[in-house]
Amino acid sequence: MSGSKQVHKGCDGVGFWIVSTAHAFRQALECELTHKGITFRQWEVLSLLSKDGEQPQSDLAEKMGLEAQTLAGIIARMERDGWLQRKSCCSDRRRKLISATPKAKKIQQEMHECCELVRNQAVEGLGQQELLELKRVCELMRNNLTGNCPEPKLVPKIAETDLVTNPCQTFPLDEDTHISMDDTMAPTNSVRSRKS
């Protein structure tokens, strides 16, 4: 078995299926949005504002999974282009509320058309029952993964572990030695030769 097939086998699984599908979905949507002069991140901002209305910049950043500084640059460009407006929150003058302008609302229909096109492309060949089952499975997995992230365990310093007294076994490597992904994840550091 070749190294590339071994790596693929190690990566294959439900997480890979979902992430790679989401990546393909995003790429297709980005392609369609680009023809309308909209970036994916701009589409995200406008979609969230359309769905949830005016909101603080910090809320948008959290929903988009972005650092505040990264989103600030996106919002600044959208504000410069006349798509967004910022105003101070009445209860906290330091807090900025973001809302879409009438200019941005005019492109909502074009954005919706892009989404419909990509959605139809993605579900081609799937029946209604399969789509309902896909929805059920995705909801179940989201529920399984939702919850408080446990506190990370502190990693002991190397001096406090037995690595110092029991160093890892090393193997001589030559040009014919091959280490597969399976080897690196196995409990023992086995090394296979391509010749064998």
Side-chain angles (χ1 to χ4, degrees):
M1 184 181 288
S2 70
S4 62
K5 286 184 180 176
Q6 289 174 341
V7 171
H8 182 266
K9 183 180 177 184
C11 292
D12 198 15
V14 68
F16 176 77
W17 304 335
I18 292 170
V19 172
S20 60
T21 302
H23 183 68
F25 208 108
R26 175 175 169 162
Q27 281 188 314
L29 182 56
E30 278 181 314
C31 180
E32 290 302 321
L33 291 170
T34 299
H35 297 311
K36 305 291 184 184
I38 307 165
T39 69
F40 181 79
R41 289 304 190 185
Q42 290 170 338
W43 168 80
E44 271 189 300
V45 169
L46 293 176
S47 295
L48 287 168
L49 291 174
S50 174
K51 177 178 174 282
D52 301 329
E54 181 181 76
Q55 56 196 289
Q57 189 169 322
S58 58
D59 289 4
L60 278 172
E62 185 176 335
K63 291 172 185 176
M64 293 171 67
L66 292 177
E67 293 292 327
Q69 300 89 335
T70 304
L71 180 59
I74 296 167
I75 287 177
R77 286 189 296 276
M78 294 179 75
E79 190 177 24
R80 178 200 65 199
D81 294 339
W83 289 8
L84 297 181
Q85 58 189 11
R86 277 189 264 204
K87 67 178 184 182
S88 297
C89 178
C90 52
S91 60
D92 184 353
R93 306 291 297 172
R94 295 166 301 172
R95 195 172 189 191
K96 301 296 180 189
L97 296 175
I98 310 296
S99 60
T101 64
K103 179 181 178 180
K105 290 174 183 174
K106 286 180 183 177
I107 62 168
Q108 290 287 346
Q109 182 58 36
E110 292 182 53
M111 288 169 44
H112 180 72
E113 288 168 7
C114 288
C115 292
E116 280 295 307
L117 187 68
V118 172
R119 187 182 300 119
N120 291 337
Q121 182 183 350
V123 300
E124 191 174 337
L126 294 174
Q128 187 63 28
Q129 196 59 42
E130 290 170 307
L131 291 173
L132 288 172
E133 181 62 10
L134 175 62
K135 180 183 178 185
R136 186 192 71 78
V137 170
C138 287
E139 286 175 351
L140 177 60
M141 285 194 289
R142 276 198 306 272
N143 290 337
N144 290 343
L145 296 170
T146 302
N148 294 330
C149 182
E151 288 292 321
K153 294 180 180 177
L154 295 176
V155 179
K157 295 178 183 176
I158 290 178
E160 296 170 358
T161 68
D162 63 352
L163 290 177
V164 174
T165 55
N166 299 315
C168 297
Q169 181 180 358
T170 59
F171 299 91
L173 301 180
D174 59 31
E175 61 184 23
D176 292 322
T177 303
H178 170 71
I179 302 175
S180 75
M181 289 299 288
D182 293 338
D183 295 328
T184 60
M185 292 185 284
T188 60
N189 291 330
S190 59
V191 177
R192 289 197 294 263
S193 172
R194 290 191 194 117
K195 291 179 178 176
S196 57

